[in-house]
Amino acid sequence: MKKTEMKVNINCQKCKTLVLRAVTKLEGVDQVTVDAEKGILTVVGEVDPVCVTTKVRKTGKYAEILSVGPPKKPDPPKPDKPLPPCCPPCRFVTIDYEPYDSRICSIL
């Protein structure tokens, strides 16, 4: 699995679509992203960076490889906030309310 970043000349939405269509047709591509403002194409997968460059250049766009390396690992999931006391099997939360006249109201 490799992450390839390339500098590509992208001027409009049509250019972006043209490059995306060309690259996604390659075998071994898992993920493709384009940052049109910065002109950076990012390809993740088991694909040769030279093949990606060749495919982009066949569309008539200039392509230059910036970096090739392992993809960034996803962040581990954050633990959920602890819930107040509840019934574990059904996960109902108990809410108690004490009105001004001292009667207790319990909502389950």
Side-chain angles (χ1 to χ4, degrees):
M1 188 73 81
K2 291 183 259 184
K3 176 181 176 183
T4 306
E5 289 187 347
M6 307 175 74
K7 182 137 182 88
V8 180
N9 192 12
I10 299 171
N11 301 320
C12 62
Q13 185 64 33
K14 186 176 179 182
C15 295
K16 181 178 175 180
T17 305
L18 186 67
V19 169
L20 282 173
R21 282 188 184 165
V23 173
T24 54
K25 288 180 183 177
L26 289 171
E27 194 172 317
V29 173
D30 291 332
Q31 181 182 6
V32 180
T33 56
V34 175
D35 186 352
E37 292 177 5
K38 294 179 182 176
I40 295 178
L41 170 71
T42 305
V43 181
V44 178
E46 292 292 333
V47 63
D48 185 21
V50 176
C51 291
V52 177
T53 306
T54 305
K55 196 73 164 176
V56 171
R57 287 182 179 168
K58 284 184 179 180
T59 65
K61 300 291 174 193
Y62 172 77
E64 175 186 346
I65 298 174
L66 296 177
S67 68
V68 178
K72 183 179 176 184
K73 294 181 181 179
D75 296 331
K78 296 179 181 177
D80 293 337
K81 293 181 181 178
L83 295 174
C86 67
C87 175
C90 58
R91 301 190 57 95
F92 281 126
V93 178
T94 306
I95 300 172
D96 292 330
Y97 173 70
E98 192 171 329
Y100 296 131
D101 59 357
S102 297
R103 287 184 281 160
I104 297 174
C105 178
S106 179
I107 301 172
L108 180 67

